[in-house]
Amino acid sequence: MNVLMFVLTLVLLLVSEASALSFMLPQNNRKCLMEEIHKNVLVTGEYKLSPAPGHTTSLKVSDSKGHILYSKEDATEGKFAFTTDERETVEICFLTTLGQGVRVQQDREVYIDVKHGVEAKNYEDVAKSEKLKPMEIELRRLEDLSEAIVNDFAYMKKREEEMRDTNESTNSRVLYFSIFSMCCLLVLVTWQVFYLRRYFKSKKLIE
């Protein structure tokens, strides 16, 4: 039993994505992170900024349509969560400004950990609410992860079909355009031949 739980946990660790990162944010500067998220997926985030006297940093999370999913003025530490209505490219932006009269130049370190899908789901709460055993909750997590992988493959297959249809449509248009160009070229060449023939006859260069 313990061996099976260890194997399941190891599989989850191997397939899960590391999304935590940290970076330095210079004063009066803006840095953004972008990630594409599937439809109806829970997204959670946790952030923490290092102390910087005189610095004010704002955090804004928005989608590709400009909708504000989360915003925080003078952000120092906190969490956010939302569920996507459709497949979106989520943008997380940090903007730091320096207060008036502040001359100390100091970069601010930003730590952020973004999770989505299976990673963002709190299985401890699920275990408490449904009274699941440790093995059952690991199996539930593995089931959700398998479903997420299947959905990813289905989306990739759909995108591949769309790209193939686009390529076929483009190839057809190129073929028709090539045929049209050849016809125009033949007409032009024929017209030039008849024109030159009449010209040379008028000059009595040919009979």
Side-chain angles (χ1 to χ4, degrees):
M1 183 72 69
N2 292 333
V3 175
L4 181 57
M5 287 186 62
F6 173 77
V7 172
L8 293 176
T9 304
L10 182 60
V11 171
L12 290 173
L13 290 175
L14 289 175
V15 298
S16 61
E17 298 178 356
S19 55
L21 57 90
S22 62
F23 56 89
M24 301 304 296
L25 183 64
Q27 61 184 15
N28 297 324
N29 209 317
R30 180 174 182 262
K31 286 191 176 181
C32 296
L33 308 173
M34 299 181 68
E35 186 170 1
E36 190 175 7
I37 308 296
H38 288 285
K39 180 180 179 181
N40 296 328
V41 172
L42 174 65
V43 180
T44 62
E46 183 177 0
Y47 61 91
K48 184 176 182 180
L49 287 77
S50 63
H55 290 241
T56 301
T57 304
S58 61
L59 168 62
K60 184 175 72 172
V61 182
S62 59
D63 58 19
S64 58
K65 297 180 181 178
H67 300 150
I68 305 299
L69 305 175
Y70 175 84
S71 64
K72 178 71 173 179
E73 298 293 336
D74 195 13
T76 56
E77 183 177 1
K79 299 179 180 180
F80 60 85
F82 58 88
T83 302
T84 55
D85 295 330
E86 56 187 29
R87 189 176 184 88
E88 290 285 358
T89 300
V90 177
E91 186 179 47
I92 304 172
C93 292
F94 290 89
L95 173 64
T96 182
T97 55
L98 197 62
Q100 295 182 355
V102 179
R103 297 182 179 179
V104 179
Q105 295 185 358
Q106 179 181 1
D107 294 345
R108 203 166 190 182
E109 184 178 8
V110 178
Y111 167 84
I112 183 168
D113 184 10
V114 179
K115 299 179 180 179
H116 54 82
V118 178
E119 294 178 320
K121 193 172 182 179
N122 192 333
Y123 286 93
E124 293 181 359
D125 294 341
V126 174
K128 292 178 182 178
S129 62
E130 300 183 14
K131 298 180 180 180
L132 299 177
K133 297 179 180 179
M135 173 61 68
E136 294 174 332
I137 196 64
E138 290 297 330
L139 290 174
R140 173 72 65 83
R141 184 181 302 178
L142 187 59
E143 180 184 359
D144 293 344
L145 182 61
S146 301
E147 183 180 356
I149 294 175
V150 170
N151 291 336
D152 285 340
F153 276 111
Y155 175 76
M156 292 173 62
K157 182 179 179 181
K158 181 181 177 182
R159 289 288 296 171
E160 182 182 0
E161 292 176 352
E162 292 176 352
M163 292 179 64
R164 184 175 64 249
D165 293 341
T166 301
N167 289 335
E168 291 177 355
S169 176
T170 302
N171 292 335
S172 298
R173 293 180 181 180
V174 171
L175 176 61
Y176 294 146
F177 180 76
S178 299
I179 295 174
F180 176 76
S181 299
M182 291 178 63
C183 292
C184 292
L185 183 60
L186 289 174
V187 171
L188 180 60
V189 170
T190 304
W191 177 81
Q192 286 182 337
V193 169
F194 281 103
Y195 175 80
L196 292 174
R197 184 178 178 84
R198 287 199 307 267
Y199 176 78
F200 291 145
K201 279 187 175 183
S202 65
K203 298 297 183 179
K204 297 181 180 181
L205 296 176
I206 61 174
E207 296 182 355

